[in-house]
Amino acid sequence: MIDPAKVSGALTDLMLASHLATLEDLPRMVADHVEPAGLRDVAFFLADMQGKVLRQVTGQGADAGADGLELAVDSTVAGLAFRRVDLVAEPNWPSGRDERRWWVPITDGVERLGMLRADTAHDDQATRYALRALASMLALLVLSKRDFSDSHARLIRTAPMSVAAEMQWHLTPPSAFAGRATTVAAVSEPAYEVGGDAFDYAISDNVLHLSVFDAMGHDARAGLTANMAVAACRNARRQGADLVQTSRAVEDALIEQFGTTRYVTGILADLDLRTGRLSWINRGHHLPVIVRAGRRPSELRCPPAGPMGVALELPVTICHEQLQPRDRLVLYTDGIVEARDADGRHFGLERFIDYLVRHHADQLTVHETLRRIVHAVLGHHDGELDDDATVLLAEWRDPDQDDLIP
């Protein structure tokens, strides 16, 4: 039987031993520390950037994954646990032996990093606690190593990445976040070529800041423009600028660098996490969508002020909307709705909204909802998009009743 005190001691020793370790050191280090505590045949896997496969970290080779397993997210027990974000036992494992094989999500909050595999002799509360505790420790260890690891970057990629996309991914926040009565998830495609789209989010006090930008063009210059927009937005916001002032700071920065030859459209929004009051501005962009249980999703309306970077000097209007608990706010770029199939038919806003409604009704987590929607968009366009496609989704919950982190 697993002793929780022994597990806690093993994880503490692992944490202390990990400070000088690299990603390559973790597989052997983890196994050595937790096997005496009753967790055997331990291995861990990281998800690729698009959430399609789980790749084992072996510590060998240029990607730290040589000779490791690769498991499909949509067709394996490990993938099932990843999609559900829940601990799952391998059925009928192993034949003729009195033990169980477990798959446990490795998450940073709600950002899904990968999966832990481990065998145990029992299935009881102490065993499940030990598995979840080890998965939590693994998340912290992976996060502490990935920023300086080319091996990690290679392992989670399934295709070569463009320079523009390389810049963009180093600028964006994590793909998922939960806390302070909100859950946020975002995704951009094509993951290895994206250049002109960008998203950002951050929390300050009790306000969630959200923004989506779509830069003119689809090349490295579009990536530079989008990066400049995000950096200028963050800089102004962190100096206390409101939404209007922030969008003007973005415009000023773009004009200073590019004249009026480059521009971005965008939505900038602030959500008061205590009250659910949304404030937002429209700089020539697609309108946000609200998904609400029991009602047809609706587009929010706000007078557009024109793109940032073209010096039109149109008035910028701050609009407001009162969210209800469990509402999902969706910001997106045109690559989502304008993706075409082989017959030239758009994916379209109607189909996009239908996916949002269906997955909301199925009570999927926001990050799993986005994973499925974007894969549907890619499938509609035979896996190749003509334009960048980005979705940023934020769910608001009543802070007085927020007892669940999806």
Side-chain angles (χ1 to χ4, degrees), residues 206-334:
N206 287 295
V207 176
L208 171 65
H209 305 285
L210 301 161
S211 56
V212 165
F213 300 100
D214 187 355
M216 162 193 173
H218 313 297
D219 53 12
R221 289 178 299 173
L224 288 171
T225 306
N227 284 355
M228 177 66 71
V230 171
C233 179
R234 288 178 179 173
N235 182 262
R237 191 180 68 221
R238 290 167 181 173
Q239 295 183 58
D242 64 19
L243 292 172
V244 174
Q245 293 166 337
T246 298
S247 75
R248 287 175 174 158
V250 172
E251 178 148 56
D252 291 344
L254 294 179
I255 291 173
E256 180 181 352
Q257 293 297 320
F258 307 113
T260 55
T261 64
R262 313 293 302 180
Y263 64 84
V264 299
T265 65
I267 298 290
L268 283 72
D270 287 341
L271 175 60
D272 189 321
L273 297 175
R274 295 164 298 188
T275 66
R277 183 170 173 79
L278 176 72
S279 303
W280 63 287
I281 61 174
N282 178 8
R283 296 301 305 259
H285 199 78
H286 286 280
L287 298 172
V289 173
I290 292 288
V291 181
R292 178 169 295 160
R295 287 181 53 182
R296 185 68 180 165
S298 57
E299 286 185 305
L300 299 183
R301 299 289 173 177
C302 194
M308 291 163 279
V310 292
L312 294 179
E313 299 184 0
L314 298 174
V316 182
T317 303
I318 298 181
C319 296
H320 304 280
E321 180 76 14
Q322 180 59 51
L323 301 190
Q324 298 179 11
R326 299 292 175 178
D327 277 357
R328 291 181 174 181
L329 171 70
V330 184
L331 311 180
Y332 64 97
T333 62
D334 55 10

Side-chain angles (χ1 to χ4, degrees), residues 126-184:
T127 297
R128 291 175 178 240
Y129 165 82
L131 291 166
R132 290 192 171 101
L134 176 56
S136 295
M137 177 60 72
L138 267 170
L140 297 177
L141 295 179
V142 170
L143 289 174
S144 71
K145 311 304 176 188
R146 68 179 183 182
D147 285 347
F148 59 83
S149 173
D150 276 353
S151 301
H152 177 275
R154 293 189 183 103
L155 187 69
I156 66 170
R157 299 179 185 184
T158 59
M161 181 172 286
S162 70
V163 173
E166 191 82 53
M167 290 189 300
Q168 201 76 331
W169 284 116
H170 282 286
L171 185 69
T172 56
S175 61
F177 163 82
R180 288 281 180 107
T182 189
T183 301
V184 180

